Amino acid sequence: MDAKSTQRKSETGGDAAQPRRPRVQKDITAAIGLDICSERYPVGSVLPKENDLCDRYGVSRTVIRESLKALAARGLVHGRPRIGTMVCEKEEWNILDPQILAWMGPRIEELDLLGCILETRRTVEPVAAEFAAERATVQEIADLENAWKRMRDAGADTEAFTRADVHFHELLLKASHNRVFRQLSSIIDAAMKYALHCSNKAVDKRDEALDIHRELVEALRLRDGAAARACSHRMLDLAARDLAPAMRQRGQAGRTHLTKSP
Amino acid sequence: MDAKSTQRKSETGGDAAQPRRPRVQKDITAAIGLDICSERYPVGSVLPKENDLCDRYGVSRTVIRESLKALAARGLVHGRPRIGTMVCEKEEWNILDPQILAWMGPRIEELDLLGCILETRRTVEPVAAEFAAERATVQEIADLENAWKRMRDAGADTEAFTRADVHFHELLLKASHNRVFRQLSSIIDAAMKYALHCSNKAVDKRDEALDIHRELVEALRLRDGAAARACSHRMLDLAARDLAPAMRQRGQAGRTHLTKSP
DNA sequence: TCGCATCTATTGTATGATGAATGAAATTGC
DNA sequence: GCAATTTCATTCATCATACAATAGATGCGA
């Protein structure tokens, strides 16, 4: 009697013969976003007018417009009345957005994400650690320890390890009790995941990282700001070392800043 | 026969006798946002269901929904099916958003914006200055100098001075050629305006600030990273000094970090 | 041919209606 | 009496359509 309860057809890519108003905006957004990231619509070009896009994708203008709005919010396109919707310069793209990272696929490497994320971490994390040492609540410190335990227990599961690692650094920024840092955390979240994933590929180096993470939690517990800061620096030195090959292999990468510990 | 061509009435604020579908979404969004920020809809409460809001404001449900979506994007509210739209905790609010700052009005002070903005600047700006010293293009340095000149020529016009000041710091972050810093710049832009406005209220202290800004441009021109960093530190010491009264007058403010120069 | 007003195509904003999803309350089965 | 199920009100997503505003194209007169 539950023939009706089994109607959870979530066939995202399928065409299906049941034209019952499926949820398509995500797909349309992804399709256009993908076409932009793959330079099928090159930077500076104007994409087809909205009505043509409606025909091409077989949806109403509402959906097209919502999709374009979503892309505009990510800095991919910029619409002007009567002119059309133009693809923005890559400089304008919000490359920290998880969707864009997904749409870029392997081409992420062209963006020098690893470099600027590492620079940002070097700038912010030690300070955040120091702040956290005096401001974090016991609950927040406990949460950090739990995240550390999940890293420890991840075993060979690189995905799980990275997930816990990202969560750890997210919690650390939140524990700094600075609203801007906190917001920064959610902004760079997706990029952090990518960066940490690259760091963590070398399984044999994870024990070392694990130790430093634990030491950091210990420093917070002792309310020792200087020690927390130092831990953070060592952690980043480690990350820089592990990332060096991945970054060197494509030249660029800002000078010496990535490996020095001031 | 051209009675139709003279219909360019763009009276934004007026009521007008020809109510032919005015543009109202901005106003509705502001009205609800204002009601939330003034705690007429307290944190945690559920605001009226969409149809009631339609009646109350006399617009279609589409407008209400777009407005709620805009508020949700700012972290003010969070809607769930069947439940309704709930006002989020203040912690969730994106207090860096220009609109929210405007809606908060004088109550901005409750948010400790000055403190966390200053902390962030202390963390990021010196590093950005150092990066800029080696990476900025000559054009970018020239732009910075132009911003400085606009500060110098602002005279008694505090608004113009602050505008140029904000622009200067925005350009500095962009000149660091780090995409995360660059993005940070646009995110904290509105809050910077507020913070610098507070700093710049004391007209007699502006000459000092002006000098340091010029020195920073000079350091960039000489590609002297250490000097640029030092300038930035002194600039922030100055800002901290000028903000001290505004911040002290309402307790709080994170410990010692705001006035020390590491 | 040049400069100005007018026209027109395209994007932007608003409306009402309807299917789809959701979760809490009412109802039924045991 | 309690738990599982159904119902139902409400939000979410889409659609078709109409109106508004704007910038480029057109055309007219001097």
mmCIF file of all heavy atoms in Angstrom, chain B residues 92-139:
data_model
loop_
_atom_site.group_PDB
_atom_site.id
_atom_site.type_symbol
_atom_site.label_atom_id
_atom_site.label_comp_id
_atom_site.label_asym_id
_atom_site.label_seq_id
_atom_site.Cartn_x
_atom_site.Cartn_y
_atom_site.Cartn_z
ATOM 1 N N GLU B 92 24.768 34.865 14.420
ATOM 2 C CA GLU B 92 24.699 34.441 13.023
ATOM 3 C C GLU B 92 24.662 35.625 12.073
ATOM 4 O O GLU B 92 24.924 35.470 10.881
ATOM 5 C CB GLU B 92 23.449 33.587 12.805
ATOM 6 C CG GLU B 92 23.359 32.354 13.692
ATOM 7 C CD GLU B 92 24.508 31.411 13.413
ATOM 8 O OE1 GLU B 92 24.858 31.236 12.235
ATOM 9 O OE2 GLU B 92 25.068 30.858 14.389
ATOM 10 N N TRP B 93 24.271 36.773 12.585
ATOM 11 C CA TRP B 93 24.128 37.928 11.705
ATOM 12 C C TRP B 93 25.455 38.282 11.053
ATOM 13 O O TRP B 93 26.510 38.239 11.684
ATOM 14 C CB TRP B 93 23.629 39.135 12.496
ATOM 15 C CG TRP B 93 22.261 38.971 13.066
ATOM 16 C CD1 TRP B 93 21.508 37.835 13.079
ATOM 17 C CD2 TRP B 93 21.494 39.975 13.736
ATOM 18 N NE1 TRP B 93 20.314 38.086 13.715
ATOM 19 C CE2 TRP B 93 20.274 39.380 14.121
ATOM 20 C CE3 TRP B 93 21.708 41.319 14.036
ATOM 21 C CZ2 TRP B 93 19.290 40.094 14.803
ATOM 22 C CZ3 TRP B 93 20.732 42.018 14.709
ATOM 23 C CH2 TRP B 93 19.526 41.410 15.081
ATOM 24 N N ASN B 94 25.375 38.651 9.808
ATOM 25 C CA ASN B 94 26.559 39.131 9.123
ATOM 26 C C ASN B 94 26.687 40.626 9.373
ATOM 27 O O ASN B 94 26.271 41.449 8.575
ATOM 28 C CB ASN B 94 26.443 38.857 7.633
ATOM 29 C CG ASN B 94 27.611 39.419 6.880
ATOM 30 O OD1 ASN B 94 28.566 39.905 7.479
ATOM 31 N ND2 ASN B 94 27.548 39.373 5.576
ATOM 32 N N ILE B 95 27.296 40.925 10.521
ATOM 33 C CA ILE B 95 27.301 42.328 10.933
ATOM 34 C C ILE B 95 28.232 43.181 10.086
ATOM 35 O O ILE B 95 28.349 44.381 10.299
ATOM 36 C CB ILE B 95 27.728 42.472 12.398
ATOM 37 C CG1 ILE B 95 29.133 41.919 12.579
ATOM 38 C CG2 ILE B 95 26.753 41.787 13.300
ATOM 39 C CD1 ILE B 95 29.739 42.313 13.877
ATOM 40 N N LEU B 96 28.906 42.561 9.123
ATOM 41 C CA LEU B 96 29.769 43.358 8.258
ATOM 42 C C LEU B 96 29.000 43.889 7.056
ATOM 43 O O LEU B 96 29.519 44.685 6.289
ATOM 44 C CB LEU B 96 30.946 42.499 7.781
ATOM 45 C CG LEU B 96 31.767 41.876 8.913
ATOM 46 C CD1 LEU B 96 32.841 40.979 8.340
ATOM 47 C CD2 LEU B 96 32.383 42.963 9.761
ATOM 48 N N ASP B 97 27.771 43.455 6.927
ATOM 49 C CA ASP B 97 26.983 43.876 5.773
ATOM 50 C C ASP B 97 26.559 45.331 5.916
ATOM 51 O O ASP B 97 26.073 45.746 6.963
ATOM 52 C CB ASP B 97 25.741 42.982 5.680
ATOM 53 C CG ASP B 97 24.903 43.328 4.475
ATOM 54 O OD1 ASP B 97 24.037 44.217 4.596
ATOM 55 O OD2 ASP B 97 25.134 42.734 3.414
ATOM 56 N N PRO B 98 26.759 46.100 4.850
ATOM 57 C CA PRO B 98 26.432 47.531 4.925
ATOM 58 C C PRO B 98 24.979 47.796 5.308
ATOM 59 O O PRO B 98 24.711 48.692 6.096
ATOM 60 C CB PRO B 98 26.744 48.054 3.523
ATOM 61 C CG PRO B 98 26.930 46.850 2.664
ATOM 62 C CD PRO B 98 27.340 45.743 3.563
ATOM 63 N N GLN B 99 24.077 47.012 4.755
ATOM 64 C CA GLN B 99 22.663 47.217 5.057
ATOM 65 C C GLN B 99 22.395 47.033 6.540
ATOM 66 O O GLN B 99 21.720 47.843 7.167
ATOM 67 C CB GLN B 99 21.806 46.214 4.276
ATOM 68 C CG GLN B 99 21.951 46.311 2.781
ATOM 69 C CD GLN B 99 21.164 47.471 2.200
ATOM 70 O OE1 GLN B 99 21.157 48.572 2.745
ATOM 71 N NE2 GLN B 99 20.514 47.217 1.094
ATOM 72 N N ILE B 100 22.929 45.961 7.089
ATOM 73 C CA ILE B 100 22.675 45.703 8.502
ATOM 74 C C ILE B 100 23.242 46.830 9.350
ATOM 75 O O ILE B 100 22.603 47.299 10.289
ATOM 76 C CB ILE B 100 23.270 44.345 8.918
ATOM 77 C CG1 ILE B 100 22.508 43.224 8.216
ATOM 78 C CG2 ILE B 100 23.204 44.170 10.424
ATOM 79 C CD1 ILE B 100 22.858 41.844 8.711
ATOM 80 N N LEU B 101 24.425 47.294 8.982
ATOM 81 C CA LEU B 101 24.999 48.406 9.736
ATOM 82 C C LEU B 101 24.066 49.602 9.704
ATOM 83 O O LEU B 101 23.848 50.274 10.715
ATOM 84 C CB LEU B 101 26.374 48.781 9.161
ATOM 85 C CG LEU B 101 27.469 47.745 9.372
ATOM 86 C CD1 LEU B 101 28.790 48.221 8.800
ATOM 87 C CD2 LEU B 101 27.627 47.460 10.864
ATOM 88 N N ALA B 102 23.477 49.836 8.509
ATOM 89 C CA ALA B 102 22.566 50.968 8.401
ATOM 90 C C ALA B 102 21.319 50.744 9.251
ATOM 91 O O ALA B 102 20.859 51.649 9.951
ATOM 92 C CB ALA B 102 22.176 51.189 6.941
ATOM 93 N N TRP B 103 20.787 49.533 9.191
ATOM 94 C CA TRP B 103 19.562 49.255 9.949
ATOM 95 C C TRP B 103 19.802 49.311 11.449
ATOM 96 O O TRP B 103 18.918 49.629 12.224
ATOM 97 C CB TRP B 103 19.011 47.866 9.570
ATOM 98 C CG TRP B 103 18.571 47.771 8.142
ATOM 99 C CD1 TRP B 103 18.152 48.795 7.346
ATOM 100 C CD2 TRP B 103 18.508 46.589 7.331
ATOM 101 N NE1 TRP B 103 17.846 48.323 6.091
ATOM 102 C CE2 TRP B 103 18.040 46.977 6.055
ATOM 103 C CE3 TRP B 103 18.794 45.241 7.564
ATOM 104 C CZ2 TRP B 103 17.861 46.077 5.010
ATOM 105 C CZ3 TRP B 103 18.609 44.343 6.520
ATOM 106 C CH2 TRP B 103 18.144 44.755 5.263
ATOM 107 N N MET B 104 21.008 48.976 11.881
ATOM 108 C CA MET B 104 21.296 49.004 13.306
ATOM 109 C C MET B 104 21.313 50.430 13.840
ATOM 110 O O MET B 104 21.021 50.658 15.006
ATOM 111 C CB MET B 104 22.652 48.350 13.574
ATOM 112 C CG MET B 104 22.668 46.852 13.434
ATOM 113 S SD MET B 104 21.640 46.016 14.643
ATOM 114 C CE MET B 104 22.552 46.310 16.156
ATOM 115 N N GLY B 105 21.693 51.372 12.995
ATOM 116 C CA GLY B 105 21.747 52.758 13.438
ATOM 117 C C GLY B 105 22.714 52.917 14.601
ATOM 118 O O GLY B 105 23.804 52.346 14.579
ATOM 119 N N PRO B 106 22.313 53.655 15.609
ATOM 120 C CA PRO B 106 23.223 53.922 16.736
ATOM 121 C C PRO B 106 23.530 52.659 17.531
ATOM 122 O O PRO B 106 24.523 52.607 18.255
ATOM 123 C CB PRO B 106 22.443 54.907 17.605
ATOM 124 C CG PRO B 106 21.127 55.129 16.961
ATOM 125 C CD PRO B 106 21.012 54.299 15.740
ATOM 126 N N ARG B 107 22.690 51.648 17.353
ATOM 127 C CA ARG B 107 22.910 50.432 18.123
ATOM 128 C C ARG B 107 24.118 49.657 17.633
ATOM 129 O O ARG B 107 24.422 48.579 18.165
ATOM 130 C CB ARG B 107 21.664 49.547 18.060
ATOM 131 C CG ARG B 107 20.441 50.213 18.668
ATOM 132 C CD ARG B 107 19.190 49.440 18.302
ATOM 133 N NE ARG B 107 19.303 48.057 18.696
ATOM 134 C CZ ARG B 107 18.671 47.538 19.736
ATOM 135 N NH1 ARG B 107 17.894 48.297 20.457
ATOM 136 N NH2 ARG B 107 18.807 46.273 20.025
ATOM 137 N N ILE B 108 24.793 50.153 16.612
ATOM 138 C CA ILE B 108 25.998 49.484 16.133
ATOM 139 C C ILE B 108 26.944 49.214 17.291
ATOM 140 O O ILE B 108 27.595 48.177 17.363
ATOM 141 C CB ILE B 108 26.731 50.347 15.085
ATOM 142 C CG1 ILE B 108 25.878 50.532 13.847
ATOM 143 C CG2 ILE B 108 28.046 49.711 14.705
ATOM 144 C CD1 ILE B 108 26.592 51.304 12.761
ATOM 145 N N GLU B 109 26.980 50.171 18.211
ATOM 146 C CA GLU B 109 27.963 50.076 19.286
ATOM 147 C C GLU B 109 27.839 48.789 20.083
ATOM 148 O O GLU B 109 28.813 48.317 20.652
ATOM 149 C CB GLU B 109 27.816 51.278 20.220
ATOM 150 C CG GLU B 109 28.096 52.594 19.521
ATOM 151 C CD GLU B 109 27.955 53.767 20.469
ATOM 152 O OE1 GLU B 109 27.597 53.533 21.630
ATOM 153 O OE2 GLU B 109 28.213 54.903 20.031
ATOM 154 N N GLU B 110 26.627 48.225 20.100
ATOM 155 C CA GLU B 110 26.438 47.004 20.871
ATOM 156 C C GLU B 110 27.224 45.829 20.298
ATOM 157 O O GLU B 110 27.357 44.805 20.940
ATOM 158 C CB GLU B 110 24.946 46.627 20.897
ATOM 159 C CG GLU B 110 24.075 47.644 21.597
ATOM 160 C CD GLU B 110 22.602 47.317 21.414
ATOM 161 O OE1 GLU B 110 22.290 46.175 21.037
ATOM 162 O OE2 GLU B 110 21.779 48.221 21.639
ATOM 163 N N LEU B 111 27.692 45.973 19.065
ATOM 164 C CA LEU B 111 28.255 44.820 18.374
ATOM 165 C C LEU B 111 29.759 44.686 18.538
ATOM 166 O O LEU B 111 30.350 43.739 18.059
ATOM 167 C CB LEU B 111 27.915 44.908 16.881
ATOM 168 C CG LEU B 111 26.440 44.850 16.544
ATOM 169 C CD1 LEU B 111 26.224 45.141 15.071
ATOM 170 C CD2 LEU B 111 25.879 43.493 16.908
ATOM 171 N N ASP B 112 30.418 45.651 19.186
ATOM 172 C CA ASP B 112 31.870 45.605 19.313
ATOM 173 C C ASP B 112 32.544 45.488 17.957
ATOM 174 O O ASP B 112 33.481 44.723 17.764
ATOM 175 C CB ASP B 112 32.308 44.443 20.202
ATOM 176 C CG ASP B 112 33.801 44.528 20.491
ATOM 177 O OD1 ASP B 112 34.323 45.651 20.510
ATOM 178 O OD2 ASP B 112 34.437 43.477 20.649
ATOM 179 N N LEU B 113 32.035 46.263 17.012
ATOM 180 C CA LEU B 113 32.639 46.242 15.686
ATOM 181 C C LEU B 113 34.039 46.820 15.737
ATOM 182 O O LEU B 113 34.977 46.273 15.158
ATOM 183 C CB LEU B 113 31.799 47.094 14.739
ATOM 184 C CG LEU B 113 30.983 46.365 13.692
ATOM 185 C CD1 LEU B 113 30.459 47.363 12.692
ATOM 186 C CD2 LEU B 113 31.825 45.321 13.015
ATOM 187 N N LEU B 114 34.180 47.940 16.434
ATOM 188 C CA LEU B 114 35.472 48.616 16.460
ATOM 189 C C LEU B 114 36.557 47.667 16.927
ATOM 190 O O LEU B 114 37.641 47.610 16.349
ATOM 191 C CB LEU B 114 35.394 49.839 17.385
ATOM 192 C CG LEU B 114 34.452 50.942 16.917
ATOM 193 C CD1 LEU B 114 34.451 52.095 17.915
ATOM 194 C CD2 LEU B 114 34.879 51.429 15.548
ATOM 195 N N GLY B 115 36.253 46.900 17.966
ATOM 196 C CA GLY B 115 37.247 45.983 18.503
ATOM 197 C C GLY B 115 37.680 44.947 17.491
ATOM 198 O O GLY B 115 38.868 44.794 17.220
ATOM 199 N N CYS B 116 36.727 44.264 16.905
ATOM 200 C CA CYS B 116 37.158 43.148 16.053
ATOM 201 C C CYS B 116 37.707 43.624 14.717
ATOM 202 O O CYS B 116 38.570 42.980 14.136
ATOM 203 C CB CYS B 116 36.046 42.104 15.894
ATOM 204 S SG CYS B 116 34.631 42.619 14.966
ATOM 205 N N ILE B 117 37.242 44.781 14.262
ATOM 206 C CA ILE B 117 37.836 45.323 13.047
ATOM 207 C C ILE B 117 39.289 45.708 13.301
ATOM 208 O O ILE B 117 40.186 45.405 12.493
ATOM 209 C CB ILE B 117 37.040 46.553 12.560
ATOM 210 C CG1 ILE B 117 35.722 46.110 11.950
ATOM 211 C CG2 ILE B 117 37.839 47.358 11.546
ATOM 212 C CD1 ILE B 117 35.879 45.405 10.634
ATOM 213 N N LEU B 118 39.514 46.329 14.432
ATOM 214 C CA LEU B 118 40.887 46.741 14.732
ATOM 215 C C LEU B 118 41.791 45.525 14.890
ATOM 216 O O LEU B 118 42.924 45.509 14.390
ATOM 217 C CB LEU B 118 40.888 47.601 16.000
ATOM 218 C CG LEU B 118 42.196 48.323 16.315
ATOM 219 C CD1 LEU B 118 42.686 49.112 15.105
ATOM 220 C CD2 LEU B 118 42.015 49.246 17.511
ATOM 221 N N GLU B 119 41.284 44.521 15.552
ATOM 222 C CA GLU B 119 42.071 43.294 15.686
ATOM 223 C C GLU B 119 42.396 42.703 14.320
ATOM 224 O O GLU B 119 43.518 42.267 14.064
ATOM 225 C CB GLU B 119 41.294 42.258 16.507
ATOM 226 C CG GLU B 119 41.385 42.463 18.004
ATOM 227 C CD GLU B 119 40.606 41.404 18.757
ATOM 228 O OE1 GLU B 119 40.029 40.507 18.121
ATOM 229 O OE2 GLU B 119 40.580 41.475 19.992
ATOM 230 N N THR B 120 41.406 42.700 13.472
ATOM 231 C CA THR B 120 41.635 42.139 12.139
ATOM 232 C C THR B 120 42.659 42.955 11.369
ATOM 233 O O THR B 120 43.555 42.401 10.730
ATOM 234 C CB THR B 120 40.314 42.092 11.366
ATOM 235 O OG1 THR B 120 39.338 41.394 12.129
ATOM 236 C CG2 THR B 120 40.503 41.400 10.030
ATOM 237 N N ARG B 121 42.512 44.262 11.446
ATOM 238 C CA ARG B 121 43.472 45.099 10.731
ATOM 239 C C ARG B 121 44.876 44.851 11.259
ATOM 240 O O ARG B 121 45.833 44.736 10.488
ATOM 241 C CB ARG B 121 43.105 46.575 10.902
ATOM 242 C CG ARG B 121 41.818 46.960 10.211
ATOM 243 C CD ARG B 121 41.550 48.446 10.377
ATOM 244 N NE ARG B 121 42.611 49.252 9.792
ATOM 245 C CZ ARG B 121 42.754 50.554 10.006
ATOM 246 N NH1 ARG B 121 41.914 51.190 10.817
ATOM 247 N NH2 ARG B 121 43.721 51.225 9.432
ATOM 248 N N ARG B 122 45.012 44.768 12.589
ATOM 249 C CA ARG B 122 46.334 44.524 13.181
ATOM 250 C C ARG B 122 46.912 43.202 12.688
ATOM 251 O O ARG B 122 48.109 43.043 12.543
ATOM 252 C CB ARG B 122 46.209 44.466 14.697
ATOM 253 C CG ARG B 122 46.414 45.796 15.344
ATOM 254 C CD ARG B 122 46.774 45.615 16.813
ATOM 255 N NE ARG B 122 46.776 46.909 17.455
ATOM 256 C CZ ARG B 122 47.739 47.797 17.275
ATOM 257 N NH1 ARG B 122 48.771 47.536 16.507
ATOM 258 N NH2 ARG B 122 47.673 48.976 17.873
ATOM 259 N N THR B 123 46.051 42.271 12.445
ATOM 260 C CA THR B 123 46.528 40.960 12.010
ATOM 261 C C THR B 123 46.915 40.966 10.544
ATOM 262 O O THR B 123 47.942 40.418 10.152
ATOM 263 C CB THR B 123 45.426 39.904 12.235
ATOM 264 O OG1 THR B 123 44.998 39.969 13.596
ATOM 265 C CG2 THR B 123 45.930 38.516 11.921
ATOM 266 N N VAL B 124 46.091 41.613 9.731
ATOM 267 C CA VAL B 124 46.243 41.453 8.289
ATOM 268 C C VAL B 124 47.024 42.580 7.628
ATOM 269 O O VAL B 124 47.882 42.328 6.786
ATOM 270 C CB VAL B 124 44.852 41.324 7.633
ATOM 271 C CG1 VAL B 124 44.976 41.299 6.128
ATOM 272 C CG2 VAL B 124 44.150 40.082 8.141
ATOM 273 N N GLU B 125 46.743 43.794 8.018
ATOM 274 C CA GLU B 125 47.291 44.922 7.252
ATOM 275 C C GLU B 125 48.815 44.964 7.188
ATOM 276 O O GLU B 125 49.367 45.191 6.106
ATOM 277 C CB GLU B 125 46.738 46.249 7.785
ATOM 278 C CG GLU B 125 45.467 46.659 7.055
ATOM 279 C CD GLU B 125 45.004 48.074 7.402
ATOM 280 O OE1 GLU B 125 45.838 48.889 7.863
ATOM 281 O OE2 GLU B 125 43.826 48.360 7.188
ATOM 282 N N PRO B 126 49.523 44.744 8.287
ATOM 283 C CA PRO B 126 50.982 44.783 8.163
ATOM 284 C C PRO B 126 51.506 43.744 7.185
ATOM 285 O O PRO B 126 52.435 44.018 6.408
ATOM 286 C CB PRO B 126 51.462 44.499 9.589
ATOM 287 C CG PRO B 126 50.331 44.921 10.463
ATOM 288 C CD PRO B 126 49.087 44.599 9.689
ATOM 289 N N VAL B 127 50.909 42.574 7.209
ATOM 290 C CA VAL B 127 51.344 41.526 6.277
ATOM 291 C C VAL B 127 51.015 41.948 4.847
ATOM 292 O O VAL B 127 51.835 41.801 3.935
ATOM 293 C CB VAL B 127 50.663 40.183 6.609
ATOM 294 C CG1 VAL B 127 51.114 39.110 5.641
ATOM 295 C CG2 VAL B 127 50.951 39.796 8.048
ATOM 296 N N ALA B 128 49.806 42.484 4.673
ATOM 297 C CA ALA B 128 49.417 42.927 3.336
ATOM 298 C C ALA B 128 50.370 44.002 2.837
ATOM 299 O O ALA B 128 50.761 44.001 1.660
ATOM 300 C CB ALA B 128 47.987 43.454 3.360
ATOM 301 N N ALA B 129 50.763 44.894 3.721
ATOM 302 C CA ALA B 129 51.684 45.961 3.330
ATOM 303 C C ALA B 129 53.012 45.368 2.877
ATOM 304 O O ALA B 129 53.588 45.781 1.866
ATOM 305 C CB ALA B 129 51.888 46.928 4.497
ATOM 306 N N GLU B 130 53.468 44.362 3.618
ATOM 307 C CA GLU B 130 54.746 43.742 3.257
ATOM 308 C C GLU B 130 54.637 43.044 1.899
ATOM 309 O O GLU B 130 55.529 43.188 1.053
ATOM 310 C CB GLU B 130 55.139 42.742 4.346
ATOM 311 C CG GLU B 130 56.564 42.250 4.210
ATOM 312 C CD GLU B 130 57.010 41.513 5.465
ATOM 313 O OE1 GLU B 130 56.217 41.399 6.412
ATOM 314 O OE2 GLU B 130 58.176 41.054 5.469
ATOM 315 N N PHE B 131 53.547 42.326 1.702
ATOM 316 C CA PHE B 131 53.351 41.680 0.399
ATOM 317 C C PHE B 131 53.294 42.733 -0.702
ATOM 318 O O PHE B 131 53.896 42.564 -1.770
ATOM 319 C CB PHE B 131 52.050 40.878 0.390
ATOM 320 C CG PHE B 131 52.121 39.600 1.173
ATOM 321 C CD1 PHE B 131 50.965 38.874 1.421
ATOM 322 C CD2 PHE B 131 53.334 39.121 1.658
ATOM 323 C CE1 PHE B 131 51.025 37.690 2.139
ATOM 324 C CE2 PHE B 131 53.394 37.946 2.387
ATOM 325 C CZ PHE B 131 52.235 37.230 2.628
ATOM 326 N N ALA B 132 52.561 43.800 -0.437
ATOM 327 C CA ALA B 132 52.393 44.834 -1.457
ATOM 328 C C ALA B 132 53.743 45.424 -1.842
ATOM 329 O O ALA B 132 53.964 45.791 -2.998
ATOM 330 C CB ALA B 132 51.452 45.929 -0.960
ATOM 331 N N ALA B 133 54.646 45.503 -0.870
ATOM 332 C CA ALA B 133 55.935 46.115 -1.150
ATOM 333 C C ALA B 133 56.664 45.358 -2.259
ATOM 334 O O ALA B 133 57.405 45.948 -3.044
ATOM 335 C CB ALA B 133 56.789 46.151 0.109
ATOM 336 N N GLU B 134 56.436 44.063 -2.324
ATOM 337 C CA GLU B 134 57.156 43.355 -3.382
ATOM 338 C C GLU B 134 56.297 42.993 -4.583
ATOM 339 O O GLU B 134 56.827 42.644 -5.620
ATOM 340 C CB GLU B 134 57.825 42.096 -2.828
ATOM 341 C CG GLU B 134 56.989 41.280 -1.900
ATOM 342 C CD GLU B 134 57.797 40.107 -1.357
ATOM 343 O OE1 GLU B 134 58.663 40.312 -0.484
ATOM 344 O OE2 GLU B 134 57.548 38.994 -1.856
ATOM 345 N N ARG B 135 54.972 43.077 -4.412
ATOM 346 C CA ARG B 135 54.124 42.609 -5.506
ATOM 347 C C ARG B 135 53.331 43.695 -6.204
ATOM 348 O O ARG B 135 52.822 43.471 -7.313
ATOM 349 C CB ARG B 135 53.126 41.578 -4.975
ATOM 350 C CG ARG B 135 53.776 40.361 -4.368
ATOM 351 C CD ARG B 135 52.713 39.439 -3.801
ATOM 352 N NE ARG B 135 53.296 38.366 -3.026
ATOM 353 C CZ ARG B 135 52.593 37.540 -2.264
ATOM 354 N NH1 ARG B 135 51.283 37.688 -2.183
ATOM 355 N NH2 ARG B 135 53.198 36.596 -1.584
ATOM 356 N N ALA B 136 53.158 44.833 -5.573
ATOM 357 C CA ALA B 136 52.283 45.858 -6.158
ATOM 358 C C ALA B 136 52.841 46.335 -7.495
ATOM 359 O O ALA B 136 54.054 46.453 -7.678
ATOM 360 C CB ALA B 136 52.150 47.038 -5.207
ATOM 361 N N THR B 137 51.953 46.578 -8.434
ATOM 362 C CA THR B 137 52.379 47.175 -9.699
ATOM 363 C C THR B 137 52.577 48.675 -9.493
ATOM 364 O O THR B 137 52.090 49.247 -8.511
ATOM 365 C CB THR B 137 51.302 46.969 -10.770
ATOM 366 O OG1 THR B 137 50.140 47.705 -10.405
ATOM 367 C CG2 THR B 137 50.942 45.504 -10.921
ATOM 368 N N VAL B 138 53.282 49.299 -10.413
ATOM 369 C CA VAL B 138 53.475 50.748 -10.286
ATOM 370 C C VAL B 138 52.131 51.459 -10.365
ATOM 371 O O VAL B 138 51.901 52.469 -9.697
ATOM 372 C CB VAL B 138 54.431 51.285 -11.375
ATOM 373 C CG1 VAL B 138 55.855 50.892 -11.051
ATOM 374 C CG2 VAL B 138 54.040 50.790 -12.745
ATOM 375 N N GLN B 139 51.235 50.890 -11.158
ATOM 376 C CA GLN B 139 49.902 51.481 -11.254
ATOM 377 C C GLN B 139 49.198 51.471 -9.904
ATOM 378 O O GLN B 139 48.592 52.458 -9.484
ATOM 379 C CB GLN B 139 49.067 50.716 -12.288
ATOM 380 C CG GLN B 139 47.669 51.270 -12.470
ATOM 381 C CD GLN B 139 47.704 52.710 -12.965
ATOM 382 O OE1 GLN B 139 48.289 53.015 -13.991
ATOM 383 N NE2 GLN B 139 47.093 53.599 -12.184
#
